[in-house]
Amino acid sequence: MANHVYETCLDIVNNKLTVRATVHRRTKDPRSLKNKITKNRVKFDDVEDFFKKISDLAGVRITTYRESDRSKVVKEIESQFTKDPNKDQITELKDKTDPGKHYRATHCQVVLTEDNLDGNNANLRNTTCEIQVCSLLAHVFNEIEHDLQYKELNGELSSTEKSLLDQIGFLTKAGDISIEQLLIATEDRHKNRNGNFVDVYDFITRMRDRAPQFSENSAPLFEIITELGFNSPEALNRLQEDLNIQDERQKLDKYLAAEGKNQLIEKNTSDELLVAILPNIYEKIIEKYPAGQGKGRPSRIAQIAYAYKRMIDQEKAAQK
């Protein structure tokens, strides 16, 4: 369970949203589980009740560089998973606001959707996994506080320890603001640079004016265009010369709607750039991803390229 959720979360941060983040997974340590059972024995009526109430046997943690990216990640988690049948919703905001309390994280208790319960996952129906989402600096505080305050290894914290823990909490909150400002300043510096893209984040920064949520779906598009040799804004602009982009977009939207695949292209994301250059690269994408090659479904970009080809073929057939 943890492995499957981990892979999905990696895809969310690296491909779907393309945000700076790290993802880690773990299963509950047997000794920790034993201690938790022993300590809370009276809370469980029977074995079935135990599995209903222990929610973190499998766990995944996503730590975002930016605190502002936390809500984006959580929203995508809600779209990729379903909720624990024993809970009212997937997510629970755990941020503490009382004096001296600085824990910040969103906890998501998730269950796999029906689409993901085939094959080796068939035995995971209604099995839950806890996903914790927080910023990198919030994670630092959360871990320190947890080890010192909740494991109770050496008794109650002294007033000095509590004061210093409080200071660290404030520092991590101020640090989150500094990281946000640092990344904004870095993006401003990169915005007008010339030459090839350095990485996907440079690509996003220099092409962001194409769409409000340009970072979404950007990583797969960046991989495709750089492999095809179109690795600078100038090269991408040349691909769009002499094209009526609005007309091409309307035709493709209409065709996909007729096929019942109008959700394939996501508006206001980097798909806006993909559609703009598609007439000049769809054949190259198809060459890279020939039908029937590989396992599973073709990538979403390949699906879009094949749909565009079907549209072109249909237009040519109608002209004969």
Side-chain angles (χ1 to χ4, degrees):
M1 181 66 175
N3 288 340
H4 183 89
V5 175
Y6 167 78
E7 294 295 338
T8 302
C9 289
L10 274 180
D11 186 63
I12 286 174
V13 300
N14 291 335
N15 295 321
K16 172 59 183 172
L17 299 179
T18 324
V19 297
R20 297 178 189 270
T22 61
V23 184
H24 299 279
R25 62 192 154 182
R26 63 113 180 101
T27 53
K28 193 82 170 172
D29 179 75
R31 288 174 298 179
S32 175
L33 180 60
K34 181 180 178 180
N35 290 337
K36 191 166 188 176
I37 295 172
T38 302
K39 185 177 178 180
N40 299 282
R41 187 184 298 273
V42 296
K43 295 181 180 180
F44 309 123
D45 297 330
D46 49 36
V47 173
E48 184 176 346
D49 188 48
F50 163 78
F51 282 107
K52 284 182 179 179
K53 292 178 178 177
I54 297 295
S55 60
D56 61 347
L57 292 176
V60 172
R61 178 179 289 113
I62 301 174
T63 51
T64 61
Y65 284 31
R66 283 178 147 122
E67 164 64 21
S68 60
D69 284 334
R70 178 170 35 144
S71 60
K72 299 176 189 176
V73 172
V74 168
K75 183 178 179 181
E76 193 59 30
I77 288 171
E78 290 174 332
S79 74
Q80 296 275 358
F81 297 98
T82 189
K83 72 179 186 66
D84 179 349
N86 298 307
K87 294 185 177 292
D88 295 329
Q89 57 190 19
I90 289 179
T91 58
E92 183 178 359
L93 186 66
K94 292 281 193 174
D95 292 16
K96 303 296 184 182
T97 57
D98 295 336
K101 302 293 183 181
H102 301 279
Y103 183 91
R104 292 178 293 141
T106 303
H107 290 199
C108 309
Q109 199 67 35
V110 304
V111 173
L112 301 186
T113 62
E114 287 296 323
D115 292 343
N116 290 304
L117 287 172
D118 56 350
N120 294 332
N121 294 333
N123 65 332
L124 296 177
R125 186 180 303 278
N126 291 333
T127 301
T128 69
C129 179
E130 182 180 82
I131 306 173
Q132 294 182 9
V133 188
C134 62
S135 73
L136 280 170
L137 290 185
H139 172 58
V140 170
F141 175 83
N142 295 348
E143 286 295 289
I144 293 173
E145 182 192 46
H146 181 266
D147 285 351
L148 293 181
Q149 197 152 309
Y150 291 99
K151 290 192 175 180
E152 300 177 350
L153 298 177
N154 298 302
E156 186 178 349
L157 298 184
S158 67
S159 59
T160 300
E161 289 172 296
K162 290 178 181 178
S163 176
L164 289 170
L165 196 58
D166 195 31
Q167 289 181 37
I168 293 171
F170 284 119
L171 286 171
T172 58
K173 289 175 180 177
D176 271 331
I177 295 172
S178 296
I179 288 174
E180 184 80 31
Q181 293 174 339
L182 172 63
L183 293 177
I184 289 173
T186 301
E187 289 172 0
D188 285 342
R189 177 169 57 85
H190 286 179
K191 218 173 262 185
N192 298 314
R193 63 182 297 274
N194 298 316
N196 293 346
F197 300 118
V198 174
D199 56 24
V200 66
Y201 302 108
D202 183 34
F203 168 63
I204 292 169
T205 297
R206 293 161 68 187
M207 304 300 292
R208 194 187 294 278
D209 60 351
R210 294 281 178 163
Q213 287 89 45
F214 186 82
S215 65
E216 295 189 24
N217 304 322
S218 284
L221 177 58
F222 176 71
E223 181 181 350
I224 287 286
I225 61 172
T226 51
E227 285 186 12
L228 295 178
F230 307 112
N231 50 10
S232 71
E234 296 77 21
L236 293 175
N237 289 334
R238 285 194 294 272
L239 285 175
Q240 300 167 61
E241 291 176 357
D242 303 321
L243 289 175
N244 187 328
I245 296 171
Q246 185 174 0
D247 183 53
E248 291 290 335
R249 175 60 185 266
Q250 289 175 349
K251 286 194 303 181
L252 185 55
D253 282 346
K254 184 178 179 180
Y255 181 81
L256 289 174
E259 281 197 335
K261 297 179 179 179
N262 51 314
Q263 299 301 315
L264 194 55
I265 294 176
E266 299 180 14
K267 298 187 187 317
N268 298 322
T269 70
S270 64
D271 287 356
E272 304 290 350
L273 173 60
L274 172 61
V275 172
I277 63 178
L278 197 57
N280 282 321
I281 67 169
Y282 79 95
E283 292 178 319
K284 294 182 175 66
I285 295 174
I286 290 171
E287 287 176 10
K288 180 175 172 59
Y289 299 104
Q293 298 289 323
K295 298 179 180 180
R297 292 186 302 173
S299 71
R300 196 178 64 88
I301 289 180
Q303 291 180 56
I304 294 171
Y306 275 101
Y308 188 84
K309 182 180 185 302
R310 291 194 298 272
M311 182 188 77
I312 295 299
D313 290 345
Q314 187 181 85
E315 289 179 349
K316 289 178 180 178
Q319 293 171 2
K320 290 182 179 179

